[in-house]
Amino acid sequence: MPDGKIMKALSGFYYVKDEDRVVQCRGRGVFRKQKITPLVGDYVTYQAENDQEGYVTEIEKRKNELVRPPIANVDQAVLVFSAIEPSFSTSLLDRFLVLVESHQITPIICISKMDLLSSDQTKEIEQYAKEYENIGYIVLRSSAKWEDGLDTLIPYLEDKISVFAGQSGVGKSSILNALRPDLDIKTDQISSSLGRGKHTTRHVELLSIGTGLVADTPGFSALEFSELELEELPFCFPEMVHYGEQCKFRGCLHMNEPKCAVKSAVEEKNIPEYRYHHYQQFYEEIKSRKPRY
């Protein structure tokens, strides 16, 4: 039987791309019984009824999956954060980074609106950017006009499945429109009272950008650590993985344990203090989470 990749899911139909054709498929009833839902990004086997219609019969094992947006096999997340309007938030960025790391997705940090900063503000944002680069993250800078920064972003999208996520109201849809002007993705204006933008996309679809694929929906609308366990949290901070190898106790959670190399690295300013502070916040949040049954 032929195979392909689900490019779009809409109203119970799955649009499977198989080389140069797209076949509109339904899922087999067995998926419902097994409580499995085919997702955009899935590699599937399908049975063709004719040239344009068929049934999804098998789903290959996923390397990861997201609930919101519902998508599978994501390679990377482009985290879009504005330098100003709204202000750059390391707390929110670190929350996104932990969520991305917990799904084994590579993050790319993109700081927009750099051209709107004063010289002092530029120094502050550049300092943050360098600290994240020192951790090992890719950090891109762009202006308020996304067309000016696309040449730095596009090479990272090649041959990857990417989602865009980040602060609300920073223009994620504007980026996609700049990448593919023919899309004309609709966006609502930012609400001045809430400081938030609304995205009007109603389904998930993978769009071709060069040799890459991009989901046309904002990622991670749920920012709670509902699936992350305490023991996994340190592994979502690359610098803690690095220094944690020197901790006295295996399985050190870098909170109250003696001879903790991570806490020493914070004191010696090898780990930014705000990163450790956010780690502590996330630790307490997960610890106080209601148990799941």
Side-chain angles (χ1 to χ4, degrees), residues 171-186:
K172 293 183 284 292
S173 294
S174 300
I175 303 170
L176 290 166
N177 284 333
L179 287 164
R180 279 268 308 265
D182 59 303
L183 295 174
D184 193 25
I185 297 169
K186 294 177 182 175

Side-chain angles (χ1 to χ4, degrees), residues 151-168:
D151 55 339
T152 57
L153 174 60
I154 287 173
Y156 289 102
L157 304 179
E158 298 295 316
D159 303 319
K160 300 276 197 313
I161 293 181
S162 307
V163 295
F164 282 77
Q167 274 170 305
S168 194

Side-chain angles (χ1 to χ4, degrees), residues 5-293:
K5 180 189 291 182
I6 297 179
M7 300 292 286
K8 179 168 75 169
L10 183 63
S11 303
F13 288 101
Y14 305 99
Y15 295 83
V16 178
K17 189 171 198 289
D18 179 0
E19 295 184 355
D20 292 332
R21 68 173 180 162
V22 174
V23 181
Q24 178 181 285
C25 295
R26 286 197 175 274
R28 281 285 188 213
V30 66
F31 294 134
R32 276 196 300 278
K33 288 177 188 170
Q34 295 171 348
K35 296 187 176 174
I36 296 170
T37 303
L39 295 176
V40 169
D42 271 332
Y43 295 96
V44 300
T45 301
Y46 69 95
Q47 182 177 344
E49 301 285 294
N50 52 53
D51 280 349
Q52 287 148 346
E53 296 176 307
Y55 285 89
V56 174
T57 56
E58 287 181 55
I59 300 171
E60 282 189 29
K61 187 178 179 184
R62 298 164 179 158
K63 72 175 182 179
N64 56 44
E65 63 182 270
L66 304 178
V67 177
R68 284 186 275 182
I71 188 170
N73 300 313
V74 177
D75 296 306
Q76 61 189 13
V78 181
L79 303 180
V80 186
F81 277 69
S82 61
I84 194 170
E85 297 174 10
S87 300
F88 186 73
S89 168
T90 57
S91 174
L92 190 58
L93 175 55
D94 285 345
R95 183 173 285 272
F96 272 103
L97 286 168
V98 167
L99 286 164
V100 168
E101 295 275 6
S102 71
H103 286 90
Q104 289 77 52
I105 296 170
T106 301
I108 294 175
I109 300 167
C110 205
I111 305 176
S112 65
K113 305 185 185 178
M114 291 292 289
D115 55 323
L116 304 183
L117 300 177
S118 67
S119 58
D120 285 345
Q121 289 171 324
T122 299
K123 282 179 190 170
E124 182 186 1
I125 296 296
E126 279 296 338
Q127 180 60 37
Y128 282 131
K130 281 171 187 160
E131 286 167 350
Y132 281 101
E133 285 172 333
N134 288 340
I135 291 167
Y137 291 119
I138 295 165
V139 182
L140 307 178
R141 288 87 157 161
S142 80
S143 73
K145 288 186 179 176
W146 267 100
E147 292 84 348
D148 301 338
L150 291 184
D151 55 339
T152 57
L153 174 60
I154 287 173
Y156 289 102
L157 304 179
E158 298 295 316
D159 303 319
K160 300 276 197 313
I161 293 181
S162 307
V163 295
F164 282 77
Q167 274 170 305
S168 194
V170 298
K172 293 183 284 292
S173 294
S174 300
I175 303 170
L176 290 166
N177 284 333
L179 287 164
R180 279 268 308 265
D182 59 303
L183 295 174
D184 193 25
I185 297 169
K186 294 177 182 175
T187 57
D188 288 347
Q189 293 299 310
I190 294 174
S191 159
S192 56
S193 59
L194 296 173
R196 292 200 299 244
K198 295 176 185 173
H199 194 285
T200 57
T201 300
R202 291 289 177 263
H203 66 275
V204 183
E205 182 173 358
L206 288 175
L207 307 167
S208 295
I209 307 282
T211 60
L213 295 169
V214 172
D216 78 331
T217 180
F220 298 104
S221 52
L223 291 176
E224 297 81 29
F225 302 123
S226 57
E227 297 173 7
L228 192 63
E229 301 301 330
L230 276 180
E231 295 75 19
E232 298 170 315
L233 182 62
F235 295 99
C236 299
F237 285 76
E239 68 273 46
M240 294 189 185
V241 174
H242 173 70
Y243 287 102
E245 293 173 354
Q246 302 162 37
C247 289
K248 181 180 180 182
F249 296 103
R250 186 181 292 179
C252 181
L253 291 174
H254 320 310
M255 291 294 286
N256 304 310
E257 299 91 338
K259 296 192 178 177
C260 171
V262 166
K263 287 192 286 186
S264 297
V266 176
E267 289 166 12
E268 292 162 10
K269 296 191 169 25
N270 291 322
I271 292 178
E273 196 171 323
Y274 61 86
R275 283 278 288 175
Y276 182 63
H277 179 56
H278 298 153
Y279 172 83
Q280 290 175 305
Q281 285 181 331
F282 301 158
Y283 179 95
E284 293 301 334
E285 185 178 322
I286 294 169
K287 190 178 176 184
S288 61
R289 184 178 64 202
K290 289 179 181 174
R292 290 171 296 162
Y293 299 103

